[in-house]
Amino acid sequence: MEWSILEQYGPALLRGFGVTVLCWILGTIFGMALGLVIALMQRYGPRWLGWIIQAYIEVIRGTPFLVQLFVLYYGGPLVGLRLDALPAGLLGLTIYGSPYFAEIFRSGFRAVPHGQIEAARAIGMAEPTIVRRVLLPLGLVSALPALVNFSIILTKETVILSIITVPELMYQVSRMSTETFRYLEANLVLALFFWALVETISRVGRRFEARITKHLIERT
Amino acid sequence: MQASAVDIRKVNKYYGPFHALKDVDLAIPPGKVTCLIGPSGSGKSTLLRCINFLEEYDSGEIRIDGQLIGYEAPGRKMSGRKLREMRRSIGMVFQQFNLWPHMTALGNVAEGLVRVRGLSKAEAQARAAEALAKVGLADKMGNHPARLSGGQQQRVAIARAIAMEPRLMLFDEPTSALDPELVGEVLNVMKTLAGEGMTMVVVTHEMGFAAHVADQVAFMEKGELVGVDSPGRILHHPEDPRIQGFLRTYHERNSF
Protein backbone atom coordinates (compact mmCIF):
# COMPACT_ATOMS: atom_id res chain seq x y z
CA MET A 1 0.00 0.00 0.00
CA GLU A 2 1.22 3.44 -0.87
CA TRP A 3 -1.03 6.07 0.61
CA SER A 4 1.21 9.05 -0.05
CA ILE A 5 -0.27 9.43 -3.53
CA LEU A 6 -3.42 10.64 -1.83
CA GLU A 7 -1.66 13.89 -1.12
CA GLN A 8 -1.37 14.46 -4.81
CA TYR A 9 -4.76 13.11 -5.84
CA GLY A 10 -6.78 13.98 -2.75
CA PRO A 11 -8.23 17.23 -4.08
CA ALA A 12 -9.22 15.60 -7.37
CA LEU A 13 -10.87 12.72 -5.53
CA LEU A 14 -12.81 15.11 -3.32
CA ARG A 15 -13.94 17.09 -6.34
CA GLY A 16 -14.95 13.83 -7.97
CA PHE A 17 -16.96 12.84 -4.90
CA GLY A 18 -18.65 16.24 -5.01
CA VAL A 19 -19.68 15.63 -8.61
CA THR A 20 -20.89 12.13 -7.68
CA VAL A 21 -23.07 13.50 -4.89
CA LEU A 22 -24.40 16.22 -7.17
CA CYS A 23 -25.24 13.67 -9.90
CA TRP A 24 -26.89 11.42 -7.37
CA ILE A 25 -28.99 14.18 -5.79
CA LEU A 26 -30.14 15.72 -9.07
CA GLY A 27 -30.58 12.34 -10.77
CA THR A 28 -32.71 11.13 -7.85
CA ILE A 29 -34.81 14.30 -7.69
CA PHE A 30 -35.44 14.45 -11.44
CA GLY A 31 -35.92 10.68 -11.72
CA MET A 32 -38.43 10.71 -8.86
CA ALA A 33 -40.26 13.69 -10.34
CA LEU A 34 -40.50 12.03 -13.75
CA GLY A 35 -41.48 8.75 -12.11
CA LEU A 36 -44.24 10.49 -10.17
CA VAL A 37 -45.59 12.14 -13.30
CA ILE A 38 -45.53 8.77 -15.08
CA ALA A 39 -47.34 7.04 -12.21
CA LEU A 40 -50.03 9.76 -12.13
CA MET A 41 -50.50 9.63 -15.90
CA GLN A 42 -50.82 5.87 -15.69
CA ARG A 43 -53.49 6.22 -13.03
CA TYR A 44 -55.50 9.08 -14.46
CA GLY A 45 -54.59 9.25 -18.15
CA PRO A 46 -56.46 7.61 -21.03
CA ARG A 47 -55.80 3.98 -21.84
CA TRP A 48 -53.65 4.59 -24.92
CA LEU A 49 -51.31 6.72 -22.82
CA GLY A 50 -51.05 3.87 -20.36
CA TRP A 51 -49.86 1.56 -23.14
CA ILE A 52 -47.19 4.02 -24.26
CA ILE A 53 -46.00 4.41 -20.69
CA GLN A 54 -45.92 0.65 -20.20
CA ALA A 55 -43.76 0.30 -23.33
CA TYR A 56 -41.42 3.02 -22.06
CA ILE A 57 -41.10 1.27 -18.72
CA GLU A 58 -40.34 -2.08 -20.37
CA VAL A 59 -37.69 -0.63 -22.70
CA ILE A 60 -35.85 1.35 -20.05
CA ARG A 61 -35.98 -1.41 -17.48
CA GLY A 62 -34.99 -4.01 -20.01
CA THR A 63 -31.76 -2.38 -21.20
CA PRO A 64 -28.48 -1.67 -19.38
CA PHE A 65 -27.83 1.86 -18.19
CA LEU A 66 -24.49 1.83 -19.99
CA VAL A 67 -26.20 1.23 -23.33
CA GLN A 68 -28.81 3.94 -22.67
CA LEU A 69 -26.04 6.39 -21.86
CA PHE A 70 -24.11 5.57 -25.02
CA VAL A 71 -27.22 5.98 -27.14
CA LEU A 72 -27.98 9.32 -25.50
CA TYR A 73 -24.45 10.74 -25.60
CA TYR A 74 -23.13 9.40 -28.89
CA GLY A 75 -26.43 8.84 -30.69
CA GLY A 76 -28.04 12.08 -29.48
CA PRO A 77 -26.09 14.37 -31.84
CA LEU A 78 -27.40 12.37 -34.82
CA VAL A 79 -30.88 13.66 -34.01
CA GLY A 80 -29.69 17.12 -32.97
CA LEU A 81 -29.43 16.43 -29.23
CA ARG A 82 -25.95 17.73 -28.44
CA LEU A 83 -25.26 17.64 -24.71
CA ASP A 84 -22.15 18.12 -22.61
CA ALA A 85 -21.09 15.18 -20.51
CA LEU A 86 -22.63 16.34 -17.24
CA PRO A 87 -26.09 17.30 -18.57
CA ALA A 88 -26.13 14.12 -20.65
CA GLY A 89 -25.25 12.11 -17.57
CA LEU A 90 -28.00 13.76 -15.51
CA LEU A 91 -30.57 13.24 -18.25
CA GLY A 92 -29.43 9.63 -18.53
CA LEU A 93 -29.79 9.04 -14.79
CA THR A 94 -33.20 10.69 -14.80
CA ILE A 95 -34.47 8.50 -17.62
CA TYR A 96 -32.89 5.37 -16.21
CA GLY A 97 -34.42 5.86 -12.76
CA SER A 98 -37.86 7.06 -13.82
CA PRO A 99 -39.53 3.70 -14.59
CA TYR A 100 -38.36 2.20 -11.30
CA PHE A 101 -39.58 5.23 -9.39
CA ALA A 102 -42.85 5.14 -11.34
CA GLU A 103 -43.44 1.52 -10.33
CA ILE A 104 -42.65 2.33 -6.71
CA PHE A 105 -45.16 5.19 -6.74
CA ARG A 106 -47.75 3.03 -8.48
CA SER A 107 -47.56 0.39 -5.78
CA GLY A 108 -47.60 3.11 -3.11
CA PHE A 109 -50.82 4.50 -4.57
CA ARG A 110 -52.34 1.04 -4.69
CA ALA A 111 -51.68 0.67 -0.98
CA VAL A 112 -53.96 3.63 -0.19
CA PRO A 113 -57.31 2.17 0.87
CA HIS A 114 -59.95 2.94 -1.72
CA GLY A 115 -62.37 3.97 1.02
CA GLN A 116 -60.23 6.97 1.92
CA ILE A 117 -60.40 8.16 -1.67
CA GLU A 118 -64.16 7.53 -1.74
CA ALA A 119 -64.63 9.50 1.47
CA ALA A 120 -63.01 12.48 -0.25
CA ARG A 121 -65.18 12.03 -3.35
CA ALA A 122 -68.29 11.75 -1.21
CA ILE A 123 -67.83 15.24 0.24
CA GLY A 124 -67.38 16.64 -3.26
CA MET A 125 -63.59 17.00 -3.36
CA ALA A 126 -62.11 17.47 -6.82
CA GLU A 127 -59.75 14.82 -8.11
CA PRO A 128 -56.56 16.98 -8.16
CA THR A 129 -57.24 17.95 -4.55
CA ILE A 130 -57.71 14.28 -3.66
CA VAL A 131 -54.32 13.51 -5.22
CA ARG A 132 -52.66 16.30 -3.27
CA ARG A 133 -54.35 15.83 0.06
CA VAL A 134 -55.01 12.10 0.29
CA LEU A 135 -53.37 9.98 -2.40
CA LEU A 136 -49.89 11.53 -2.31
CA PRO A 137 -49.37 11.84 1.44
CA LEU A 138 -50.61 8.32 2.12
CA GLY A 139 -49.07 6.75 -0.98
CA LEU A 140 -45.68 8.30 -0.24
CA VAL A 141 -45.64 6.83 3.23
CA SER A 142 -46.05 3.31 1.82
CA ALA A 143 -43.57 4.00 -0.95
CA LEU A 144 -40.85 5.53 1.22
CA PRO A 145 -38.78 2.43 2.08
CA ALA A 146 -38.67 1.39 -1.57
CA LEU A 147 -37.85 4.94 -2.64
CA VAL A 148 -34.90 5.10 -0.25
CA ASN A 149 -33.79 1.66 -1.38
CA PHE A 150 -33.78 2.58 -5.04
CA SER A 151 -32.03 5.90 -4.42
CA ILE A 152 -29.26 3.88 -2.77
CA ILE A 153 -29.02 1.69 -5.87
CA LEU A 154 -28.81 4.86 -7.96
CA THR A 155 -25.75 6.12 -6.04
CA LYS A 156 -23.80 3.22 -7.48
CA GLU A 157 -25.10 3.68 -11.00
CA THR A 158 -23.43 7.09 -11.07
CA VAL A 159 -20.03 5.43 -11.63
CA ILE A 160 -21.16 4.57 -15.16
CA LEU A 161 -21.20 8.29 -15.98
CA SER A 162 -17.38 8.12 -16.00
CA ILE A 163 -17.65 6.31 -19.35
CA ILE A 164 -18.92 9.51 -20.98
CA THR A 165 -16.24 11.56 -19.15
CA VAL A 166 -18.36 13.09 -16.40
CA PRO A 167 -15.62 14.01 -13.87
CA GLU A 168 -17.19 12.16 -10.95
CA LEU A 169 -15.43 9.94 -8.42
CA MET A 170 -15.00 6.87 -10.63
CA TYR A 171 -13.55 9.02 -13.35
CA GLN A 172 -10.97 10.50 -10.97
CA VAL A 173 -10.21 7.08 -9.50
CA SER A 174 -9.59 5.64 -12.97
CA ARG A 175 -7.30 8.49 -13.80
CA MET A 176 -5.38 8.03 -10.59
CA SER A 177 -5.07 4.29 -11.19
CA THR A 178 -3.81 4.55 -14.73
CA GLU A 179 -1.39 7.30 -13.89
CA THR A 180 0.08 5.65 -10.78
CA PHE A 181 -0.84 1.96 -11.16
CA ARG A 182 -2.17 2.13 -7.61
CA TYR A 183 -5.41 0.31 -8.42
CA LEU A 184 -6.02 -1.10 -4.97
CA GLU A 185 -5.60 2.17 -3.10
CA ALA A 186 -7.67 4.08 -5.61
CA ASN A 187 -10.55 1.62 -5.49
CA LEU A 188 -10.47 1.36 -1.71
CA VAL A 189 -10.92 5.11 -1.58
CA LEU A 190 -13.83 4.77 -3.96
CA ALA A 191 -15.43 2.08 -1.81
CA LEU A 192 -14.98 4.16 1.33
CA PHE A 193 -16.65 7.21 -0.19
CA PHE A 194 -19.62 5.19 -1.42
CA TRP A 195 -20.03 3.39 1.85
CA ALA A 196 -20.15 6.76 3.67
CA LEU A 197 -22.69 8.11 1.20
CA VAL A 198 -24.97 5.08 1.33
CA GLU A 199 -24.80 4.85 5.11
CA THR A 200 -25.80 8.51 5.39
CA ILE A 201 -28.72 8.09 2.99
CA SER A 202 -30.10 5.05 4.75
CA ARG A 203 -29.84 6.68 8.18
CA VAL A 204 -31.57 9.84 7.01
CA GLY A 205 -34.18 7.70 5.25
CA ARG A 206 -34.94 5.69 8.39
CA ARG A 207 -35.25 8.79 10.54
CA PHE A 208 -37.55 10.41 8.01
CA GLU A 209 -39.68 7.28 7.83
CA ALA A 210 -40.04 7.16 11.60
CA ARG A 211 -41.15 10.77 11.61
CA ILE A 212 -43.80 10.59 8.93
CA THR A 213 -45.32 7.32 10.16
CA LYS A 214 -45.55 8.54 13.74
CA HIS A 215 -49.27 9.25 13.62
CA LEU A 216 -50.23 6.30 11.43
CA ILE A 217 -49.36 3.58 13.87
CA GLU A 218 -52.02 2.41 16.26
CA ARG A 219 -51.02 2.86 19.88
CA THR A 220 -54.06 2.35 22.05
CA MET B 1 -98.21 14.99 -0.44
CA GLN B 2 -94.78 16.47 0.24
CA ALA B 3 -92.10 15.99 -2.45
CA SER B 4 -89.52 13.31 -1.73
CA ALA B 5 -85.98 14.17 -0.66
CA VAL B 6 -84.78 11.27 -2.76
CA ASP B 7 -86.82 9.70 -5.50
CA ILE B 8 -85.58 6.38 -6.81
CA ARG B 9 -87.36 5.07 -9.90
CA LYS B 10 -86.86 1.85 -11.82
CA VAL B 11 -83.16 1.74 -10.98
CA ASN B 12 -81.10 -1.10 -12.41
CA LYS B 13 -77.47 -1.93 -11.82
CA TYR B 14 -75.35 -4.69 -13.29
CA TYR B 15 -71.91 -5.98 -12.39
CA GLY B 16 -71.14 -7.72 -15.66
CA PRO B 17 -73.83 -10.39 -15.96
CA PHE B 18 -74.87 -10.03 -12.30
CA HIS B 19 -78.10 -8.07 -11.87
CA ALA B 20 -77.43 -6.22 -8.59
CA LEU B 21 -80.45 -3.89 -8.52
CA LYS B 22 -83.70 -4.84 -10.21
CA ASP B 23 -86.18 -2.08 -11.06
CA VAL B 24 -85.89 -0.55 -7.59
CA ASP B 25 -88.48 2.11 -6.70
CA LEU B 26 -88.22 3.97 -3.42
CA ALA B 27 -89.21 7.40 -2.13
CA ILE B 28 -87.24 8.87 0.78
CA PRO B 29 -89.39 11.43 2.65
CA PRO B 30 -87.62 14.60 3.83
CA GLY B 31 -86.80 14.95 7.51
CA LYS B 32 -87.39 11.26 8.10
CA VAL B 33 -85.23 8.21 8.74
CA THR B 34 -85.37 5.38 6.22
CA CYS B 35 -83.66 2.11 7.10
CA LEU B 36 -82.61 -0.37 4.43
CA ILE B 37 -82.48 -3.90 5.74
CA GLY B 38 -82.03 -7.32 4.23
CA PRO B 39 -79.53 -10.17 3.94
CA SER B 40 -75.97 -9.41 2.85
CA GLY B 41 -75.59 -9.28 -0.89
CA SER B 42 -79.17 -8.08 -1.27
CA GLY B 43 -78.08 -4.80 -2.88
CA LYS B 44 -78.85 -2.40 -0.05
CA SER B 45 -75.35 -0.93 0.12
CA THR B 46 -75.23 -0.75 -3.65
CA LEU B 47 -78.52 1.16 -3.69
CA LEU B 48 -77.27 3.53 -0.99
CA ARG B 49 -74.06 4.16 -2.93
CA CYS B 50 -76.06 4.90 -6.06
CA ILE B 51 -77.76 7.79 -4.23
CA ASN B 52 -74.54 9.85 -4.24
CA PHE B 53 -73.33 8.14 -7.42
CA LEU B 54 -70.28 6.52 -5.84
CA GLU B 55 -71.79 3.55 -7.63
CA GLU B 56 -73.11 4.22 -11.13
CA TYR B 57 -76.56 2.89 -11.87
CA ASP B 58 -77.22 1.70 -15.39
CA SER B 59 -80.84 2.67 -15.92
CA GLY B 60 -83.68 4.40 -14.13
CA GLU B 61 -83.54 7.68 -12.24
CA ILE B 62 -82.40 8.88 -8.85
CA ARG B 63 -83.46 12.43 -8.05
CA ILE B 64 -82.21 14.43 -5.07
CA ASP B 65 -84.73 17.17 -4.30
CA GLY B 66 -85.95 16.80 -7.84
CA GLN B 67 -82.53 16.94 -9.48
CA LEU B 68 -81.27 13.90 -11.36
CA ILE B 69 -77.90 12.70 -10.01
CA GLY B 70 -75.10 11.29 -12.16
CA TYR B 71 -76.75 11.91 -15.52
CA GLU B 72 -77.75 15.00 -17.50
CA ALA B 73 -80.27 12.90 -19.33
CA PRO B 74 -80.68 9.14 -19.69
CA GLY B 75 -77.37 7.75 -20.99
CA ARG B 76 -75.51 11.07 -20.80
CA LYS B 77 -73.22 11.42 -17.79
CA MET B 78 -73.16 14.52 -15.67
CA SER B 79 -69.98 16.61 -15.61
CA GLY B 80 -67.61 15.96 -12.72
CA ARG B 81 -68.11 19.48 -11.52
CA LYS B 82 -71.88 19.24 -11.30
CA LEU B 83 -71.67 15.88 -9.59
CA ARG B 84 -69.26 17.28 -7.00
CA GLU B 85 -71.64 20.16 -6.38
CA MET B 86 -74.49 17.74 -5.69
CA ARG B 87 -72.32 15.57 -3.46
CA ARG B 88 -71.51 18.55 -1.24
CA SER B 89 -74.98 18.45 0.17
CA ILE B 90 -75.07 14.68 0.66
CA GLY B 91 -73.18 13.40 3.68
CA MET B 92 -71.93 9.83 3.76
CA VAL B 93 -70.73 7.62 6.59
CA PHE B 94 -68.94 4.37 5.76
CA GLN B 95 -68.71 1.01 7.47
CA GLN B 96 -64.91 1.30 7.72
CA PHE B 97 -65.01 5.00 8.83
CA ASN B 98 -62.48 5.92 6.11
CA LEU B 99 -60.92 8.72 8.09
CA TRP B 100 -57.71 10.13 6.68
CA PRO B 101 -55.07 8.72 9.02
CA HIS B 102 -52.52 11.47 8.44
CA MET B 103 -54.86 14.19 9.76
CA THR B 104 -56.10 14.82 13.28
CA ALA B 105 -59.79 14.50 14.12
CA LEU B 106 -60.10 18.25 13.68
CA GLY B 107 -58.16 18.11 10.42
CA ASN B 108 -60.45 15.39 9.07
CA VAL B 109 -63.54 17.46 9.76
CA ALA B 110 -62.07 20.78 8.60
CA GLU B 111 -60.63 19.35 5.37
CA GLY B 112 -63.83 19.47 3.35
CA LEU B 113 -64.74 22.91 4.68
CA VAL B 114 -61.43 24.31 3.45
CA ARG B 115 -60.94 22.33 0.22
CA VAL B 116 -64.53 22.02 -0.92
CA ARG B 117 -66.47 24.83 0.70
CA GLY B 118 -63.56 27.27 0.47
CA LEU B 119 -63.74 28.51 4.05
CA SER B 120 -60.70 30.09 5.68
CA LYS B 121 -58.68 27.74 7.84
CA ALA B 122 -59.69 29.53 11.02
CA GLU B 123 -63.39 29.43 10.26
CA ALA B 124 -63.21 25.82 9.10
CA GLN B 125 -61.53 24.82 12.35
CA ALA B 126 -64.10 26.66 14.41
CA ARG B 127 -66.94 24.88 12.62
CA ALA B 128 -65.11 21.57 12.78
CA ALA B 129 -64.69 22.00 16.52
CA GLU B 130 -68.43 22.64 16.82
CA ALA B 131 -69.25 19.49 14.85
CA LEU B 132 -66.87 17.43 16.96
CA ALA B 133 -68.40 18.83 20.16
CA LYS B 134 -71.79 17.80 18.84
CA VAL B 135 -70.70 14.16 18.54
CA GLY B 136 -69.14 14.36 22.01
CA LEU B 137 -65.51 14.50 20.98
CA ALA B 138 -64.53 18.03 21.98
CA ASP B 139 -61.63 16.60 24.00
CA LYS B 140 -60.25 14.44 21.17
CA MET B 141 -59.85 17.06 18.46
CA GLY B 142 -56.07 16.81 18.34
CA ASN B 143 -55.96 13.02 18.15
CA HIS B 144 -55.06 11.17 14.99
CA PRO B 145 -57.42 8.32 14.04
CA ALA B 146 -54.90 5.70 15.18
CA ARG B 147 -55.35 7.06 18.71
CA LEU B 148 -59.16 6.79 18.67
CA SER B 149 -61.43 3.83 19.30
CA GLY B 150 -63.64 2.56 16.49
CA GLY B 151 -66.68 4.27 17.98
CA GLN B 152 -64.80 7.54 18.28
CA GLN B 153 -63.52 7.22 14.71
CA GLN B 154 -67.03 6.69 13.43
CA ARG B 155 -68.26 9.72 15.36
CA VAL B 156 -65.48 11.80 13.79
CA ALA B 157 -66.66 10.49 10.41
CA ILE B 158 -70.20 11.63 11.23
CA ALA B 159 -68.86 15.04 12.32
CA ARG B 160 -66.95 15.25 9.04
CA ALA B 161 -70.20 14.71 7.15
CA ILE B 162 -72.46 17.02 9.19
CA ALA B 163 -69.90 19.86 9.20
CA MET B 164 -70.62 20.19 5.48
CA GLU B 165 -74.25 20.95 6.40
CA PRO B 166 -75.79 18.32 4.16
CA ARG B 167 -79.46 18.08 3.29
CA LEU B 168 -79.27 14.32 3.33
CA MET B 169 -77.15 11.79 5.20
CA LEU B 170 -76.31 8.30 3.98
CA PHE B 171 -75.08 5.66 6.42
CA ASP B 172 -73.56 2.46 5.06
CA GLU B 173 -73.65 -0.09 7.90
CA PRO B 174 -72.18 2.47 10.30
CA THR B 175 -71.91 0.10 13.25
CA SER B 176 -71.02 -3.18 11.54
CA ALA B 177 -67.25 -2.79 12.02
CA LEU B 178 -67.56 -1.85 15.70
CA ASP B 179 -67.08 -3.91 18.82
CA PRO B 180 -70.52 -4.45 20.38
CA GLU B 181 -69.86 -2.16 23.35
CA LEU B 182 -69.09 0.74 21.00
CA VAL B 183 -72.24 0.48 18.89
CA GLY B 184 -74.39 2.46 21.32
CA GLU B 185 -72.38 5.69 21.24
CA VAL B 186 -72.63 5.84 17.43
CA LEU B 187 -76.35 5.02 17.39
CA ASN B 188 -76.97 7.73 19.98
CA VAL B 189 -75.34 10.35 17.78
CA MET B 190 -77.50 9.14 14.89
CA LYS B 191 -80.64 9.35 17.04
CA THR B 192 -79.80 12.94 17.93
CA LEU B 193 -79.40 13.76 14.25
CA ALA B 194 -82.71 12.10 13.46
CA GLY B 195 -84.35 14.08 16.25
CA GLU B 196 -83.17 17.30 14.61
CA GLY B 197 -85.03 16.40 11.47
CA MET B 198 -82.13 15.30 9.29
CA THR B 199 -83.15 13.24 6.28
CA MET B 200 -81.34 9.94 6.74
CA VAL B 201 -80.96 6.73 4.77
CA VAL B 202 -79.38 4.00 6.85
CA VAL B 203 -78.25 0.57 5.71
CA THR B 204 -78.16 -1.41 8.93
CA HIS B 205 -78.30 -4.75 10.68
CA GLU B 206 -79.35 -3.03 13.90
CA MET B 207 -83.01 -4.02 14.00
CA GLY B 208 -83.39 -2.22 17.32
CA PHE B 209 -82.37 1.05 15.70
CA ALA B 210 -84.68 0.39 12.76
CA ALA B 211 -87.57 -0.39 15.12
CA HIS B 212 -87.14 2.63 17.36
CA VAL B 213 -85.75 5.38 15.15
CA ALA B 214 -86.81 4.66 11.57
CA ASP B 215 -89.91 6.25 10.10
CA GLN B 216 -89.93 3.74 7.31
CA VAL B 217 -88.13 0.47 6.69
CA ALA B 218 -87.36 -0.96 3.28
CA PHE B 219 -86.54 -4.63 2.92
CA MET B 220 -84.34 -5.80 0.05
CA GLU B 221 -83.45 -9.25 -1.18
CA LYS B 222 -81.52 -10.37 -4.27
CA GLY B 223 -81.49 -6.90 -5.74
CA GLU B 224 -85.24 -6.41 -5.36
CA LEU B 225 -87.07 -4.05 -3.07
CA VAL B 226 -89.50 -6.47 -1.45
CA GLY B 227 -91.41 -4.10 0.78
CA VAL B 228 -91.48 -0.61 2.29
CA ASP B 229 -93.58 0.26 5.30
CA SER B 230 -93.56 1.53 8.85
CA PRO B 231 -91.07 -0.28 11.09
CA GLY B 232 -93.98 -1.73 13.07
CA ARG B 233 -95.49 -3.42 10.06
CA ILE B 234 -92.23 -4.59 8.45
CA LEU B 235 -90.54 -5.79 11.64
CA HIS B 236 -93.49 -7.09 13.63
CA HIS B 237 -96.19 -8.00 11.15
CA PRO B 238 -94.45 -8.75 7.86
CA GLU B 239 -96.70 -10.20 5.18
CA ASP B 240 -94.05 -11.22 2.68
CA PRO B 241 -92.59 -14.67 3.44
CA ARG B 242 -89.11 -13.46 2.48
CA ILE B 243 -89.20 -10.82 5.23
CA GLN B 244 -90.60 -13.35 7.68
CA GLY B 245 -87.76 -15.72 6.87
CA PHE B 246 -85.10 -13.04 7.28
CA LEU B 247 -86.47 -11.94 10.64
CA ARG B 248 -86.77 -15.52 11.86
CA THR B 249 -83.08 -16.10 11.14
CA TYR B 250 -82.24 -12.77 12.79
CA HIS B 251 -84.15 -13.61 15.96
CA GLU B 252 -82.69 -17.11 16.13
CA ARG B 253 -79.16 -15.76 15.81
CA ASN B 254 -79.72 -13.10 18.45
CA SER B 255 -81.45 -15.23 21.06
CA PHE B 256 -79.57 -17.08 23.72
Short mmCIF file of all heavy atoms in Angstrom, two decimals, chain A residues 26-28 30-32 34 56 65 89-99 101:
data_model
loop_
_atom_site.label_atom_id
_atom_site.label_comp_id
_atom_site.label_asym_id
_atom_site.label_seq_id
_atom_site.Cartn_x
_atom_site.Cartn_y
_atom_site.Cartn_z
N LEU A 26 -29.30 15.22 -7.98
CA LEU A 26 -30.14 15.72 -9.07
C LEU A 26 -30.79 14.56 -9.83
O LEU A 26 -31.97 14.62 -10.18
CB LEU A 26 -29.30 16.59 -10.02
CG LEU A 26 -28.84 17.92 -9.40
CD1 LEU A 26 -28.02 18.72 -10.40
CD2 LEU A 26 -30.03 18.75 -8.92
N GLY A 27 -30.02 13.50 -10.06
CA GLY A 27 -30.58 12.34 -10.77
C GLY A 27 -31.76 11.75 -10.00
O GLY A 27 -32.78 11.36 -10.59
N THR A 28 -31.62 11.69 -8.67
CA THR A 28 -32.71 11.13 -7.85
C THR A 28 -33.93 12.05 -7.88
O THR A 28 -35.06 11.60 -8.07
CB THR A 28 -32.24 10.94 -6.40
OG1 THR A 28 -31.10 10.09 -6.40
CG2 THR A 28 -33.32 10.31 -5.56
N PHE A 30 -34.79 14.42 -10.13
CA PHE A 30 -35.44 14.45 -11.44
C PHE A 30 -36.08 13.10 -11.77
O PHE A 30 -37.18 13.04 -12.32
CB PHE A 30 -34.42 14.83 -12.53
CG PHE A 30 -33.89 16.23 -12.39
CD1 PHE A 30 -32.62 16.56 -12.87
CD2 PHE A 30 -34.64 17.23 -11.79
CE1 PHE A 30 -32.10 17.84 -12.74
CE2 PHE A 30 -34.14 18.52 -11.66
CZ PHE A 30 -32.87 18.83 -12.14
N GLY A 31 -35.38 12.02 -11.44
CA GLY A 31 -35.92 10.68 -11.72
C GLY A 31 -37.21 10.44 -10.95
O GLY A 31 -38.19 9.91 -11.49
N MET A 32 -37.22 10.86 -9.68
CA MET A 32 -38.43 10.71 -8.86
C MET A 32 -39.57 11.55 -9.43
O MET A 32 -40.71 11.10 -9.52
CB MET A 32 -38.16 11.17 -7.43
CG MET A 32 -37.88 10.05 -6.48
SD MET A 32 -37.88 10.70 -4.79
CE MET A 32 -36.70 9.57 -4.07
N LEU A 34 -39.99 12.63 -12.52
CA LEU A 34 -40.50 12.03 -13.75
C LEU A 34 -41.30 10.76 -13.45
O LEU A 34 -42.37 10.52 -14.02
CB LEU A 34 -39.33 11.73 -14.70
CG LEU A 34 -39.68 11.15 -16.06
CD1 LEU A 34 -40.65 12.06 -16.81
CD2 LEU A 34 -38.41 10.94 -16.91
N TYR A 56 -42.59 2.26 -22.52
CA TYR A 56 -41.42 3.02 -22.06
C TYR A 56 -40.78 2.33 -20.87
O TYR A 56 -39.56 2.13 -20.82
CB TYR A 56 -41.88 4.44 -21.69
CG TYR A 56 -40.84 5.29 -20.98
CD1 TYR A 56 -39.89 5.98 -21.70
CD2 TYR A 56 -40.85 5.41 -19.59
CE1 TYR A 56 -38.94 6.77 -21.06
CE2 TYR A 56 -39.92 6.19 -18.94
CZ TYR A 56 -38.97 6.87 -19.67
OH TYR A 56 -38.03 7.65 -19.02
N PHE A 65 -28.03 0.41 -18.29
CA PHE A 65 -27.83 1.86 -18.19
C PHE A 65 -26.70 2.32 -19.11
O PHE A 65 -26.79 3.34 -19.78
CB PHE A 65 -27.53 2.23 -16.73
CG PHE A 65 -27.35 3.70 -16.50
CD1 PHE A 65 -28.15 4.63 -17.15
CD2 PHE A 65 -26.37 4.17 -15.62
CE1 PHE A 65 -27.98 6.00 -16.93
CE2 PHE A 65 -26.20 5.53 -15.40
CZ PHE A 65 -27.00 6.44 -16.06
N GLY A 89 -25.25 13.09 -18.65
CA GLY A 89 -25.25 12.11 -17.57
C GLY A 89 -26.48 12.26 -16.69
O GLY A 89 -27.12 11.27 -16.31
N LEU A 90 -26.82 13.52 -16.37
CA LEU A 90 -28.00 13.76 -15.51
C LEU A 90 -29.28 13.33 -16.21
O LEU A 90 -30.15 12.68 -15.61
CB LEU A 90 -28.08 15.25 -15.15
CG LEU A 90 -27.05 15.72 -14.13
CD1 LEU A 90 -27.17 17.22 -13.91
CD2 LEU A 90 -27.25 14.97 -12.81
N LEU A 91 -29.37 13.65 -17.50
CA LEU A 91 -30.57 13.24 -18.25
C LEU A 91 -30.65 11.72 -18.29
O LEU A 91 -31.72 11.14 -18.10
CB LEU A 91 -30.51 13.83 -19.67
CG LEU A 91 -31.70 13.50 -20.56
CD1 LEU A 91 -32.99 14.03 -19.95
CD2 LEU A 91 -31.51 14.09 -21.97
N GLY A 92 -29.47 11.10 -18.50
CA GLY A 92 -29.43 9.63 -18.53
C GLY A 92 -29.91 9.03 -17.22
O GLY A 92 -30.75 8.12 -17.20
N LEU A 93 -29.38 9.55 -16.10
CA LEU A 93 -29.79 9.04 -14.79
C LEU A 93 -31.29 9.22 -14.56
O LEU A 93 -31.97 8.35 -14.03
CB LEU A 93 -29.05 9.79 -13.68
CG LEU A 93 -27.73 9.22 -13.16
CD1 LEU A 93 -27.21 10.11 -12.05
CD2 LEU A 93 -27.92 7.79 -12.64
N THR A 94 -31.78 10.39 -14.97
CA THR A 94 -33.20 10.69 -14.80
C THR A 94 -34.07 9.67 -15.56
O THR A 94 -35.01 9.10 -15.01
CB THR A 94 -33.51 12.10 -15.34
OG1 THR A 94 -32.69 13.04 -14.65
CG2 THR A 94 -34.98 12.46 -15.13
N ILE A 95 -33.69 9.44 -16.81
CA ILE A 95 -34.47 8.50 -17.62
C ILE A 95 -34.35 7.09 -17.07
O ILE A 95 -35.34 6.37 -16.92
CB ILE A 95 -33.99 8.55 -19.09
CG1 ILE A 95 -34.36 9.90 -19.71
CG2 ILE A 95 -34.59 7.40 -19.89
CD1 ILE A 95 -33.79 10.12 -21.09
N TYR A 96 -33.11 6.72 -16.71
CA TYR A 96 -32.89 5.37 -16.21
C TYR A 96 -33.70 5.10 -14.94
O TYR A 96 -34.29 4.04 -14.77
CB TYR A 96 -31.40 5.16 -15.93
CG TYR A 96 -31.11 3.88 -15.22
CD1 TYR A 96 -31.20 2.65 -15.87
CD2 TYR A 96 -30.76 3.87 -13.86
CE1 TYR A 96 -30.95 1.47 -15.21
CE2 TYR A 96 -30.51 2.69 -13.18
CZ TYR A 96 -30.61 1.49 -13.86
OH TYR A 96 -30.38 0.33 -13.19
N GLY A 97 -33.73 6.08 -14.03
CA GLY A 97 -34.42 5.86 -12.76
C GLY A 97 -35.93 5.95 -12.84
O GLY A 97 -36.65 5.34 -12.04
N SER A 98 -36.42 6.73 -13.81
CA SER A 98 -37.86 7.06 -13.82
C SER A 98 -38.81 5.84 -13.82
O SER A 98 -39.78 5.85 -13.08
CB SER A 98 -38.18 8.00 -14.98
OG SER A 98 -37.89 7.37 -16.21
N PRO A 99 -38.55 4.79 -14.62
CA PRO A 99 -39.53 3.70 -14.59
C PRO A 99 -39.55 2.97 -13.25
O PRO A 99 -40.62 2.53 -12.80
CB PRO A 99 -39.07 2.76 -15.71
CG PRO A 99 -37.69 3.12 -16.02
CD PRO A 99 -37.50 4.55 -15.64
N PHE A 101 -38.86 4.35 -10.30
CA PHE A 101 -39.58 5.23 -9.39
C PHE A 101 -41.08 5.20 -9.68
O PHE A 101 -41.91 5.18 -8.77
CB PHE A 101 -39.05 6.67 -9.48
CG PHE A 101 -37.76 6.88 -8.74
CD1 PHE A 101 -36.64 7.38 -9.40
CD2 PHE A 101 -37.66 6.59 -7.38
CE1 PHE A 101 -35.44 7.59 -8.71
CE2 PHE A 101 -36.47 6.79 -6.69
CZ PHE A 101 -35.35 7.29 -7.36
#
